[in-house]
Amino acid sequence: MNIVRGKPPNFDEICAVFPAARREGVIFTYGDTVYVNGAPGIPPQLKAHEATHAQRQAQVGGPAKWWERYLTDAAFRLTEELLAHRVEYQTLRHLDRRLAARSLDFVAMRLASPLYGGIISQREARRAIAA
């Protein structure tokens, strides 16, 4: 997986649906490339999260098809983000088991944020990620 500082080829389409995606630090995966809108380094748990998106994009016919559906289908977006957020949480748990509960709260808060279009509440996200 390549990690670059920049914006994915469909950045304008993403921002049309999710204006919060313009913020610095937001990360996007398009194929085998992770685009970081800000500093190019990302922590291990987010690498694992984005690797999940890259794998899923390959499974559904490529990044263009995946992104088209992701931007228009909230149920698909929730499914994809739950898969990636679960991997992120599991990675955090293995990095520091003492922080597992706080990590779950943090990951659930991110999934419930407006960045993903309000597809789930924080309470539901916490339950679904830990499942």
Side-chain angles (χ1 to χ4, degrees), residues 10-63:
N10 62 338
F11 185 72
D12 291 336
E13 290 87 358
I14 294 169
C15 292
V17 177
F18 305 111
R22 292 191 187 280
R23 291 190 332 242
E24 188 168 324
V26 177
I27 301 168
F28 310 90
T29 295
Y30 196 96
D32 66 351
T33 303
V34 176
Y35 295 87
V36 182
N37 188 14
I42 61 173
Q45 68 272 16
L46 292 181
K47 285 181 184 177
H49 176 122
E50 298 305 325
T52 302
H53 288 320
Q55 291 167 355
R56 294 288 299 154
Q57 288 175 11
Q59 291 172 352
V60 300

Side-chain angles (χ1 to χ4, degrees), residues 77-95:
R77 185 169 57 252
L78 177 58
T79 298
E80 296 301 301
E81 289 302 339
L82 272 175
L83 291 169
H85 280 78
R86 283 178 182 143
V87 168
E88 178 182 343
Y89 170 61
Q90 292 302 322
T91 303
L92 279 168
R93 280 187 57 207
H94 291 296
L95 290 173

Side-chain angles (χ1 to χ4, degrees), residues 107-125:
V107 174
M109 180 182 70
R110 285 187 53 253
L111 178 56
S113 76
L115 180 63
Y116 298 108
I119 53 177
I120 193 169
S121 73
Q122 188 170 344
R123 173 183 267 166
E124 292 167 328

